[in-house]
Every structure is written in structure tokens, then in C-alpha cells.
Amino acid sequence: MVDIATRVWNHKWKIDPIVRSLIDTDFYKLLMCQSVFRQRPHVQVTFSLINRSTQVRLADLVDEGELREQLDHVRSLSLSRGESTWMRGNTFYGKRQMFGAEFMDWFEQLRLPPYHLEKRDGQYELTFEGSWPEVMLWEIPALSILMELRSRAVLRDMGRFELQVLYARAMTKVWEKVECLRTLDGLRLADFGTRRRHSFLWQDWCVQALEEGLGGAFTGTSNCLIAKNRDMEAIGTNAHELPMVYAALTDTDAALRQAPYDVLAGWQAEHDGNLRIILPDTFGTPGFLAGAPNWLAGWTGIRIDSGDPATGAENAIAWWQSRGEDPRDKLVIFSDGLNVDKIIELHAQFRGRVRVSFGWGTMLTNDFIGLVPDDALAPFSLVCKAVAADGRPTVKLSDNPNKAMGPVEEVARYKRVFGVGAQAGVEVVV
Amino acid sequence: MVDIATRVWNHKWKIDPIVRSLIDTDFYKLLMCQSVFRQRPHVQVTFSLINRSTQVRLADLVDEGELREQLDHVRSLSLSRGESTWMRGNTFYGKRQMFGAEFMDWFEQLRLPPYHLEKRDGQYELTFEGSWPEVMLWEIPALSILMELRSRAVLRDMGRFELQVLYARAMTKVWEKVECLRTLDGLRLADFGTRRRHSFLWQDWCVQALEEGLGGAFTGTSNCLIAKNRDMEAIGTNAHELPMVYAALTDTDAALRQAPYDVLAGWQAEHDGNLRIILPDTFGTPGFLAGAPNWLAGWTGIRIDSGDPATGAENAIAWWQSRGEDPRDKLVIFSDGLNVDKIIELHAQFRGRVRVSFGWGTMLTNDFIGLVPDDALAPFSLVCKAVAADGRPTVKLSDNPNKAMGPVEEVARYKRVFGVGAQAGVEVVV
């Protein structure tokens, strides 16, 4: 029976909004936002959308009017009472009141700042400027809107059953992965797929399928809205934007060299336990670990987000051992370019030697590879990064030179300051 | 938004009925029913369920109480006004008022007669006795109820996402078939899958997927309820039960030999055009064609339902040629054991030599092969046949000795009368 009121209501929508909540974002964004709100609230930043997959001509695929409508809709959002209650009342990583009263009062009043949108060479130039704690919250909605508008554009002319079979095939792909992964003893895996998802509903489906299929091996999702709606753990710690902005704000090479550790010293003052996860690759992992103060070796774990993951984990193990730590007490979180084969391989290599966890992104929530002609739904590499802070350009080196960002002369300077030599390039697919 | 009234209403159901309409049956059943109603209304028949796949122990899988509830529900059904209107007002095979007023008046009053149900050796013995036009209408609901109760039994303990992925996989299988078949130029194909369907909703899905995916190559469905609901053509002509019962009622070998032709003489008086389809294999095709009167060669086509289909079609072509008919004007309907490979092969072999059409059954509406452990959802060979008429046993020889039915001595007599020699056995899978 059709619910007439529902149908009429649905017809009244001017658009079908892609992002319907300020907490349809990654948990670590909120953690970092609070950190920035407390420590660097007045820094002015610029975030820019960067499509590394230039063959995907987004501006040809996605209508500018639709994109503006979706972005405008995000600007109309504010934290709902239930969302605020969830953030204030929930236990995150075993801790109550993770988000303080002052931050929550601010967040409840927040509207996202304006955006700047232009077309150039078949791509959108989408930038956000303003105070860091506000602008940083644009990253995830901007990415998920563009990903989903691209999906919609490709799906537009498909028949009803053709569409159902497309999703049937995609569901089957996800479930085949579940069937592989659930044979792994001691697996721990979370969804990190918000930013590159095919669509919100699809991410929601994938996450629930993982929960049913993996049981206790599924540890939660980085997506706060899904975590709230589905009563799951919200997962995440921190990201490159903190050291990138902190570094950009320094005036001397010595201060620059110290910046990544300053970030983590601040983090240590705020968080303990499983939130003390080092992200070492912003300016190259080897130099970061070699120069790290000893208190960092006492942290819970490390997240490996670029370069060859096995090498990264071996280096981390060797580093902990060199600092007198037992790697078996330590957590290694793999979060870069994961798919089932890679998860199985890393799980086999490191299980029992360290505690292992996987933050699975694009190939969980956007594996439509091979499902439509010309692979027009294949995931692609879209990012939204801090490119400037208080008028100075940011730099990211990463452990993969193909992921490096920033003006050439600044990249050279950072490489010198952080002692980064030759790096092996790894193709950035997603 | 949940429609509360719908949810409460659904909770009030005592059972989830499998067969909800007297026209959730094959179109040819209704055509034959009218024919029997007009010509042999007082013949007393017995129909029996026969599970040729004895390894599927239906009585162990399916609860007797549930089976009785479903069968009882069918006995509570009567033709609705809309169903009657559809039968009275519709054009079938280009003809208006296919179902006469007298038959419709009777059908509107009809309730299905009682059933007899016992368990023996892990199987159900399900029989129906009474007047032929009433009892014959039990065949399809009895089969679809048992098929779907078996599906439900296998699915009972599956998780929500596991179930969704199961159907996703089954949908993908159907769509892959569609993608193969739509490359065939000039294909004509109808759904004949009611009796062996996985479930009603699944048949409904498959039929709609064929309609979208095959376009004009999809000619309709044998299922009257689906044809009515989805505004499709209802497809079908006649079946073995007519010659089987007519033959059983004869007193002499000479009358027996004549019985299959008598059936078709009666049919010719009622129907023309594409409804004049010979089903030649009840007592062996070669003898039937050799002894057929010349007016039968003038009929529109032939349906090949047992034996090797290519041989059957070649024999039909040779027969038409021997009778001075041009096979290119004739229709060959393949309806036995079809799957995509077989359809492609037969289409290639006969296209341009005759008009070809396919009546696709089990492997359209019940291909769950390989989708659950132990292949517990694989289709199996369940039939419901007239086994006696006015106290005399019926016999079916078919072109495949593995499909033969009847008491041994009667089978021998029929073989003698119809001149059936050695036959090549073909495995009966579904």
C-alpha cells in the first residue's frame, strides 16, 4: 500500500539532498575540529578540491546547478538536537564527554562557510576559505557530494531492473569480500569509506552488511551519522591536516622540523588509549620516527596511510623495538588502498606480531568496478585538502611521491628539513 | 516512514499465502478447463503430486501444518470481480471473448475441491479427486505451494543481509541470461515458469526483468495473474492431460489410437491461429505424426516438450514437408529443459527454417543453483498429473522414457498401440 502522504511529501523536495546532516562526516574530523577549536581557532585556511583522476571530467559529468544546490543545502544544515545529544552523551573510545561543553555550544551554532566554485578544463575548482574549525568541516561533505553526483549522472539513463541488477551485483561483490574476510581469525576492521562512497545509502548498506557478516570482527564506522543511526562505534583519530597546517604556520626550519611533534604533544594532552595513534607519513615516515621523542613510542599505535604498507609496518615494529617497546602491545592501523587480497596478506604477515586493525575505505563503499560500460562508476581519487594557512602554502610529502602536495620550492624545502631522500612511487588509484 | 496501518494489517495475517488468486495459474489450464467444461464436464479424475527428485525429502523439509494452511487457503479463494472482468473482457491471442459466458458463470462460482494429504517415506502424497474441470485447477497451485514452502524452509535461518545478497545473486543470474539472450536477433520467448517457481514474488520479478531486458523479444507469461497485473500477454495452449484423460476413457485399442486426434479435433473446433499448436509427444511423437490426419498439418505449429528438442524440431520440419506444408510458415515452440545455452543453440539451428518460440520455465523462475550450501535451493522435478479418469489409470509415454507414467502393463499396451519402439532416455533434471 502506498503511503500517500509520504509520496506527496517526497514530491515536495526541491532536491534529493546527498548530505543531510553535519555529522554525516568522519569521526576524526570532529575530534580534530575540537582540537583546532581549542588550540588554533583563528587560523585562516583554504581547502581545495583536487581530482587526481583527471580522466574523470567531473565538470562535464556533473551539472553545476545541481552541485550548487547540494552545496547550498549543506550550508543550510545545523546540528540537530538528537545529533548534539549523541555527541554529548555517547561514549567514544570508552570515554564519556569526549566533546566538551564549550565546543558543543559552538558546534550547535555552526553553519558551514561559503564556497567558491568555478569550472576549468572539465574540472570543478571548489575552494573554501575561512577560520580553520569551520572550513575543515567542508572536506567530507564536499567529497561525498561530488562522488554521489557523479554516480547519479552515470545512473541517470538506466532502466529500473537494470539499476536493481547493478546494485545486486555491487551487493554481491561486497558480500564476497565479507565471505573472504570472515575466515580471518582475529580480524578487526572498520569502515573508513565516507569520503569516496558511491552514495550515502550505499555506504549505509555496506556498513550494515559488514556488521551482519563479520560480527565482532567489524569494529565500527568512521561515519558519525551512520554510527548514531545504527548504534555502532564511531571510529577515527587524526589526519594529515593537523601537521600540514601546523607546519605551514612555522617561521623557521627548526620550528618546521618540530611541528609534527607539537601536534601530537597537543593531542596527547587531550586524548589517551586507542586515540593515541601516530600518523607518521605527512613529511615522510622514516625521518619522523627517527626524530620522534621517546614519549611518542609510548603511544598505542600507528596508522599507515601511504607507501608500501608492509614496509611501513615493519619499520614501525623495528622502531618500537629500538625504543624498548613490545610491538605485541602496539596497534597498527592500515588505511591506504586496501582490498581483500591486501587485507588477507597484511593480516597474515602481522598477526601475532602486533595488534592489527584495518580502516577500509574506497574499495568497501565504492567498488562498482566493472559493473557498467567504460567502467564509468569506478572509484577515482578525489581529495579536499588544506592548501594554505594564514596565507602560507601547505605541503604534504607522504611516503608516496605521487601523493605529495604543495608548491615545488616548498616541497623541496620540506624534503630538506625532514631529510626525505628518494621515495618509491606507488600508483594512486583511489 | 512506516505506514502504521499497513504494518498492523500485515500482523493480522494468519499465514503469508503463497497462492492468492485462482488465476495465479497457467493460461493453458484455463483454456483446457473451458474445453473440458464444455466437452467432458462429468469425467471424474484423480490428480497426484509426484516428486521425481526423491532425494528432496519434502515431508522432512516442509511442515505439514503449514502445507495444509496453504492448501486450505486456496480452497477459500474465488474468482474476484477484477479477475473475471480481465478474463471476460481481455483479448487473448488476438481474440475477444475467448472465455464464454457459460464457462465464466461457472468459474465465478467455483471453489477448489478437497485434497487428500499423507506423508510416506519423507514425501507428501497429495491427491485431488472429483470432476475433471475442478480438479485440474489444483495442479499449478499445488506445485507452486510446495515449491515455495520448500524455498521458505531453506531460507528460514538466514540473516537479513545474507538474504538480500542471495536474491542479489539470483537477480544477477537472471540478468546475465537476459544479457545473453538479447543479442539473439528475432528471439521470441515467454515465461512458462509458474509451476516450478522459487516463489510468486520471484516469478513476478523475473517476468518484469525479462520485459525490460528483452523488450519486444519477450512475448508474455503463462501466469494469468502476472499477465493481468503487469498488463502482459497471457501465453499457452494445451497440455498432456487432455490426450491422457481422453485416452484413458477409451474402450478399444482402435479408439485409444484415435484419442489424441479426437482431442485436437475438439480443439480445432474451439480455437484457431496461434492456439492451434500440436503437442505430439504424449504417446510418442514419431507415431503421432505418421498417423496424423492431414488437417493437423494445417495447424500453426508444434510444441516440443520431451526428447531431444533439435531432433523433435527436425522431425516436425520433415513431417510438414512430407505433407506439402512450408515449414517457414510454421511455429516451433520449445518448452522442455531450456537454459540459455540451449536457447542459443536451438535459435541458431532453426532460425529462418521455421518460426521459433521458447517457453522458458524452471531455469528462468527457479535458478538458485549454487547459491546456498548443499544446493538446497536447486530446482527439482515436481509434477502433478492426472493419474486416473473414471476409475481407469492414465498413461503418458512422452519422447523420453524417464518421463513415462502409468501402470507397467498399461504402458506396454500403449507402446504397442502407438507403435513406440526403443526411445533414448534423457535425464529429467527439472
Side-chain angles (χ1 to χ4, degrees), chain B residues 253-264:
Chain B
D253 286 357
L256 174 60
R257 197 174 293 114
Q258 194 55 32
Y261 308 118
D262 291 345
V263 169
L264 298 186

Side-chain angles (χ1 to χ4, degrees), chain A residues 1-3 5-6 9 158-165 167-169 171-172 175-176 179 182 204-206 208-209 212, chain B residues 1-3 5-6 9 158-165 167-169 171-172 175-176 179 182 204-206 208-209 212:
Chain A
M1 200 183 295
V2 176
D3 179 17
T6 299
W9 172 255
M158 289 176 68
R160 187 174 167 194
F161 285 80
E162 197 181 7
L163 276 171
Q164 197 171 17
V165 171
Y167 283 103
R169 285 175 166 157
M171 286 175 182
T172 300
W175 199 253
E176 281 168 0
E179 287 174 330
R182 69 177 166 204
D204 194 37
W205 190 93
C206 291
Q208 292 177 81
E212 179 183 304
Chain B
M1 200 180 297
V2 176
D3 178 16
T6 300
W9 171 256
M158 289 176 67
R160 186 173 166 195
F161 285 79
E162 197 181 7
L163 276 172
Q164 197 171 15
V165 171
Y167 283 104
R169 286 176 166 156
M171 287 174 182
T172 301
W175 200 255
E176 281 167 0
E179 289 173 329
R182 68 179 166 201
D204 194 37
W205 190 92
C206 292
Q208 291 177 83
E212 179 183 304

